[in-house]
Amino acid sequence: MLYKTINACTFLEYPDKHKIHIYLCDDKNRPEMKELAEQFKINYIGLLENRHAKAGNFNYALKHSQSPLVATFDADMIPYSNFLMATVPYFFKRYATLTRKKVGFVQTPQSFYNEDIFQHNLYANRAIPNEQDFFSREVNVLNSYHDSAIYTGSNTLFLRTAIVAAGGFPTNTLTEDFQLGAQINSCGYDSISTTDPMASGLTPTDAKSIFKQRTRWARGMIQSIKNLHLLSNKGLSWSQKIIYLNGYLYWWSFLGRLLFVFAPILFALFDFRVVNTNFWLLLIFWIPGYGLLTFVKHDLSGNITNQRWGEVQELFFAPYLILPVILETIGIKNNQFKVTQKNGDDSKKDILYAIPHIVILLLTIVSLIKFNYGKFGSEILYGSVITFWLLNNLINAFFAVLLFVGKPKQAVQTFHVSGIVEMSVSKKYQKIELCYLTESTVRIKLSADMSLVPEKSYEMTIITSCYTAHVHAYVQEQYGTNDFLMAIESIDEANERQLLQMLHDGFNKQLPLERNQWLTTFDLLFDNINRRLRILNRIGKGRGK
């Protein structure tokens, strides 16, 4: 699989309306990769030595190509067939004349066809979108209104002259994507972020990989801000500077989150006041502030996220991002680029990463008990703000711990595909409802008068609006009277490619793009507790036998 190679990336040229060139850029010169690329008629560019990782690959590819438009993809990203139709028009002269924009690049959203760590570990794959959707489909789109969409490293179409004007892909930072986008803006080019996904890839699902990924992003952002000389950069407008400064300050929000968590704990356990105030002043300033923050987050995020999920996600990352951010800021650097592993590792060592969150959870519980023990009447009223504060943090900490403890086994990702299945049932050729697909199974729902014979191999044709695949399959599992999961047992290469196109040429509709507003935080919390208790009960019964 291409996404398992080290520092491999895809580079796509759009030289004219008759031809598209695709390059696989690899940081090593590997015969097996070259052979695979040739098999799919892809140009292979392998470097004997590459000291600059992904940025080095792209710069090397630029030297061996000359098209006016260039698209970039990470190795695990799969572009949809309409990617160019959705992005190329922004570079047409007519669009630039109408909008007075000199477009340097178009960034389409980061999109993933597997469940992220929050969706999977919290049984929330039907309740919440991917954690990165808020930035990709809301924040970065708002950045476009100031012509400063941030380049996020993949799923992007560039004007070659913009890359050249910016000096190529930067090699002095861990986040060459962010820095290149800013340098393109500083050269007088605008950047645009769109709302509809045009490519999907893999997101990390284990704690070790995701913490390494975010640490690299945090360190790289700090490095890039320094390299850009942001505040004194004359090529950027003040609105652009504020956008990039906001990106830098985001990485300090994790320190703010821990201060928010420990402030009531310090007061409840040790009578240490982070802020020297009384109940009424705290009530006057804190409640309006918290209410306004909640309203603004809801207004900006639409149905993608809310204040609660923002707090849970910040607390999840906080213990592992504070030290790298501080060290990088004071000049203790880490310039080693490490590719994020995205192979769905369900390592049991993830529980070790929960230690800081378990400590926070226990301290919060002890603080609640100690602070409220023996209080009556007005004492409860005057302590209500601290109690609410501790309860709020308790919920967030409990969710953070649940992300590591008793998480469900990583299942094969399913794909909702609109289409039908044609097959012979009871000696009649029938059109059957297609429920979902994987690379090895087909789930179908028959009408009431149909039935399938176990162990029998059925020849079926899977048909969607653009693709058709002929496969042989047998009944693997029956869920109801007419609900069957069919295992694909025989498929040739041509039909397998058709099947893969069905799965990957478009957003995986099995995953939500919006938050389920009917499912509250408490609903999800109780559901998680119940599911984990049932798992423990089954394990206990199994050991009893």
Side-chain angles (χ1 to χ4, degrees):
M1 299 294 287
L2 295 184
Y3 61 80
K4 291 183 180 178
T5 64
I6 303 300
N7 289 338
C9 46
T10 308
F11 180 91
L12 185 148
E13 279 196 301
Y14 184 67
D16 56 53
K17 64 181 180 180
H18 301 295
K19 189 180 291 185
I20 297 173
H21 293 164
I22 303 174
Y23 296 87
L24 175 65
C25 314
D26 191 7
D27 71 334
K28 296 178 182 178
N29 198 6
R30 289 178 277 198
E32 67 274 15
M33 293 298 294
K34 184 176 182 180
E35 182 181 346
L36 181 64
E38 289 175 350
Q39 180 182 345
F40 287 93
K41 298 181 180 179
I42 295 173
N43 298 290
Y44 176 79
I45 301 177
L47 284 73
L48 293 175
E49 182 180 4
N50 179 22
R51 298 177 181 177
H52 301 302
K54 181 178 174 181
N57 288 346
F58 281 147
N59 285 331
Y60 191 73
L62 285 168
K63 293 179 181 178
H64 291 78
S65 57
Q66 58 276 332
S67 69
L69 294 178
V70 173
T72 63
F73 300 92
D74 284 343
D76 60 280
M77 283 289 174
I78 304 173
Y80 307 160
S81 58
N82 59 338
F83 173 83
L84 290 175
M85 294 295 292
T87 55
V88 170
Y90 288 101
F91 297 91
F92 286 172
K93 186 175 181 181
R94 182 181 177 187
Y95 174 83
T97 302
L98 289 173
T99 60
R100 298 181 181 177
K101 291 184 181 222
K102 186 180 178 184
V103 179
F105 66 90
V106 176
Q107 176 67 62
T108 66
Q110 294 283 0
S111 172
F112 306 95
Y113 55 80
N114 65 324
E115 300 166 6
D116 73 7
I117 196 167
F118 296 95
Q119 293 172 314
H120 178 71
N121 291 15
L122 294 177
Y123 298 96
N125 59 342
R126 297 293 183 271
I128 58 174
N130 187 284
E131 175 254 341
Q132 294 186 49
D133 278 7
F134 176 53
F135 175 81
S136 288
R137 297 195 292 113
E138 290 286 351
V139 176
N140 215 23
V141 174
L142 289 174
N143 292 341
S144 293
Y145 285 94
H146 298 281
D147 308 315
S148 300
I150 291 173
Y151 172 37
T152 56
S154 183
N155 315 346
T156 318
L157 186 64
F158 284 92
L159 190 67
R160 174 186 287 269
T161 54
I163 301 177
V164 173
F169 286 79
T171 57
N172 58 348
T173 177
L174 292 172
T175 50
E176 78 294 323
D177 43 12
F178 167 79
Q179 187 168 320
L180 175 63
Q183 288 177 184
I184 286 175
N185 287 153
S186 67
C187 291
Y189 292 89
D190 295 335
S191 49
I192 296 170
S193 181
T194 60
T195 56
D196 296 327
M198 285 294 132
S200 292
L202 288 170
T203 186
T205 55
D206 64 293
K208 180 180 178 181
S209 298
I210 199 168
F211 288 144
K212 282 188 175 181
Q213 179 194 64
R214 300 307 165 94
T215 298
R216 174 166 58 85
W217 291 359
R219 284 183 173 273
M221 174 70 80
I222 295 167
Q223 292 169 8
S224 294
I225 291 295
K226 291 179 180 178
N227 295 339
L228 289 166
H229 304 289
L230 184 65
L231 296 180
S232 60
N233 191 318
K234 295 181 180 179
L236 297 172
S237 67
W238 276 106
S239 61
Q240 292 173 324
K241 290 178 181 180
I242 290 172
I243 287 171
Y244 294 132
L245 182 62
N246 182 58
Y248 166 77
L249 293 175
Y250 165 78
W251 298 103
W252 286 98
S253 66
F254 302 102
L255 177 59
R257 175 55 47 195
L258 282 194
L259 290 175
F260 188 84
V261 166
F262 280 103
I265 292 174
L266 290 172
F267 180 72
L269 294 183
F270 307 108
D271 200 28
F272 178 84
R273 298 190 178 195
V274 175
V275 179
N276 190 13
T277 184
N278 58 45
F279 170 75
W280 296 109
L281 281 175
L282 193 61
L283 205 65
I284 290 169
F285 287 98
W286 180 75
I287 288 183
Y290 190 79
L292 181 61
L293 181 64
T294 303
F295 171 77
V296 169
K297 186 68 177 285
H298 174 76
D299 186 59
L300 286 176
S301 62
N303 294 328
I304 295 179
T305 188
N306 59 16
Q307 178 64 19
R308 171 66 64 197
W309 279 115
E311 291 179 4
V312 171
Q313 290 159 359
E314 282 183 7
L315 183 57
F316 173 73
F317 290 115
Y320 295 96
L321 287 177
I322 292 172
L323 188 59
V325 168
I326 293 174
L327 291 176
E328 194 67 44
T329 300
I330 64 177
I332 301 177
K333 296 189 174 187
N334 180 0
N335 292 319
Q336 186 177 3
F337 184 99
K338 294 182 180 180
V339 175
T340 305
Q341 297 299 316
K342 301 177 181 178
N343 55 6
D345 180 23
D346 269 340
S347 173
K348 293 181 180 179
K349 293 181 180 179
D350 271 12
I351 190 64
L352 297 177
Y353 288 94
I355 292 174
H357 305 85
I358 293 173
V359 171
I360 290 171
L361 180 63
L362 293 176
L363 285 174
T364 305
I365 293 172
V366 172
S367 299
L368 266 169
I369 296 171
K370 184 178 184 298
F371 183 72
N372 288 284
Y373 182 76
K375 283 188 170 64
F376 298 97
S378 61
E379 289 181 312
I380 296 176
L381 173 64
Y382 288 127
S384 60
V385 173
I386 300 298
T387 300
F388 175 83
W389 197 341
L390 287 168
L391 285 171
N392 180 75
N393 290 341
L394 178 68
I395 295 170
N396 297 338
F398 198 62
F399 269 117
V401 171
L402 287 177
L403 279 160
F404 301 97
V405 179
K407 63 180 183 178
K409 183 179 179 181
Q410 188 74 285
V412 175
Q413 184 63 58
T414 58
F415 295 79
H416 174 77
V417 176
S418 298
I420 60 170
V421 173
E422 292 184 351
M423 58 186 292
S424 178
V425 181
S426 302
K427 298 182 180 181
K428 292 182 180 180
Y429 209 64
Q430 307 280 358
K431 292 184 179 181
I432 299 166
E433 178 185 350
L434 173 62
C435 297
Y436 67 69
L437 283 174
T438 72
E439 293 185 9
S440 59
T441 61
V442 185
R443 187 167 178 176
I444 57 176
K445 198 164 188 179
L446 280 64
S447 58
D449 59 335
M450 299 182 193
S451 63
L452 299 180
V453 179
E455 301 178 0
K456 178 182 177 180
S457 180
Y458 290 88
E459 183 178 348
M460 58 173 58
T461 303
I462 307 169
I463 303 172
T464 67
S465 58
C466 298
Y467 306 103
T468 301
H470 304 280
V471 304
H472 287 83
Y474 63 91
V475 177
Q476 178 175 301
E477 194 169 348
Q478 184 172 351
Y479 296 102
T481 307
N482 304 100
D483 192 350
F484 295 89
L485 182 67
M486 309 291 291
I488 298 173
E489 61 176 347
S490 176
I491 185 171
D492 57 31
E493 184 176 345
N495 282 296
E496 184 178 18
R497 291 187 186 182
Q498 289 287 304
L499 180 65
L500 292 175
Q501 290 278 49
M502 292 177 186
L503 297 176
H504 299 294
D505 188 10
F507 179 76
N508 183 8
K509 295 177 183 177
Q510 285 286 97
L511 300 174
L513 280 170
E514 293 185 344
R515 179 175 54 86
N516 184 348
Q517 297 187 72
W518 293 102
L519 192 67
T520 68
T521 303
F522 294 102
D523 291 331
L524 193 57
L525 183 61
F526 293 138
D527 180 58
N528 269 259
I529 294 171
N530 288 331
R531 286 175 181 266
R532 284 166 168 78
L533 287 176
R534 287 200 296 268
I535 291 172
L536 289 174
N537 187 42
R538 286 199 298 269
I539 293 173
K541 287 181 178 179
R543 288 176 178 174
K545 293 180 181 179

